[in-house]
Amino acid sequence: MEVIYRELVYTELDLNLFSAFVRKQVVTDCWRKTDGRWKIKSAPFIDDWDENDYNFLIKSLKSTIKNNGAVYGAFINGMLKGFASVEGKLFGTKNRYIDLTHIYVSKDVRGRGIGKKLFELAKERAKKSGAEKLYISAHSAVETQAFYNAMGCAEALEYSKFHTQKEPFDCQLECILY
């Protein structure tokens, strides 16, 4: 299985691009911060996207590219099977952070290193943009957090108010870019 990684361009971003992408994630347990401590809690649900979700995603990815960010894709047999997006603007009290706004791998190819490679591409882009840290407002599912932990992420020292208001159950993470 050869995976081709490349930066996507604005005009590619449409529903057809995602025709072979399967977002589905069955979640049983999530991390929750209670009384200042992280604990695993039962929170079963199925995370999946419908056409409206994909349309919103496409709009978001187009905005990323339009605003000097980057979107990377992982392709198998010409079909998109993973993607990551990095914003183009530094933020935080000292402008040290840059946002990793999306990173997803299709359900049918998870566990094959695609997410790791996309994460590395995102880190390289963030460094080139002058960031010291990659910021991730990440899904709190135990499996998702295990991925970010393996990538060297830790709880963010500075939380983004925008992200915490938008997704209060997300884990706010950072990855130092050496």
Side-chain angles (χ1 to χ4, degrees):
M1 167 190 80
E2 184 184 10
V3 183
I4 306 292
Y5 298 90
R6 64 176 176 80
E7 191 168 346
L8 301 179
V9 296
Y10 187 92
T11 55
E12 294 181 271
L13 297 170
D14 61 23
L15 276 175
N16 188 51
L17 180 66
F18 296 92
S19 63
F21 187 87
V22 182
R23 164 62 186 115
K24 190 173 186 176
Q25 181 178 0
V26 178
V27 176
T28 54
D29 296 323
C30 292
W31 285 96
R32 296 288 187 254
K33 196 169 194 177
T34 310
D35 300 325
R37 297 185 66 197
W38 288 101
K39 298 176 185 173
I40 296 174
K41 303 274 186 172
S42 177
F45 67 98
I46 296 173
D47 200 355
D48 206 352
W49 292 339
D50 61 19
E51 188 173 327
N52 289 331
D53 294 317
Y54 279 104
N55 283 325
F56 182 81
L57 170 68
I58 291 162
K59 186 177 178 182
S60 171
L61 296 175
K62 284 183 173 185
S63 176
T64 296
I65 292 172
K66 191 175 179 182
N67 291 299
N68 299 315
V71 180
Y72 297 96
F75 293 84
I76 298 173
N77 296 325
M79 296 179 292
L80 182 74
K81 290 296 182 176
F83 63 96
S85 62
V86 180
E87 296 305 312
K89 184 179 177 187
L90 297 170
F91 71 96
T93 55
K94 296 180 181 176
N95 283 325
R96 295 185 298 176
Y97 290 103
I98 205 158
D99 246 332
L100 173 70
T101 42
H102 299 284
I103 184 166
Y104 293 99
V105 176
S106 186
K107 183 178 188 288
D108 54 319
V109 294
R110 289 182 191 145
R112 300 182 189 181
I114 295 170
K116 181 179 181 179
K117 177 64 176 174
L118 288 169
F119 193 82
E120 291 301 320
L121 289 169
K123 284 174 57 176
E124 287 304 314
R125 177 58 179 244
K127 284 183 204 176
K128 288 178 185 173
S129 298
E132 294 175 25
K133 299 178 179 186
L134 197 58
Y135 189 94
I136 309 108
S137 182
H139 197 292
S140 61
V142 169
E143 301 83 2
T144 303
Q145 289 304 304
F147 167 78
Y148 286 116
N149 185 52
M151 295 300 102
C153 298
E155 185 173 1
L157 296 178
E158 181 181 338
Y159 277 27
S160 160
K161 188 174 182 180
F162 169 78
H163 287 300
T164 57
Q165 289 179 341
K166 184 178 168 192
E167 293 289 346
F169 290 117
D170 274 7
C171 298
Q172 306 304 310
L173 306 173
E174 68 181 29
C175 182
I176 296 171
L177 306 171
Y178 306 127

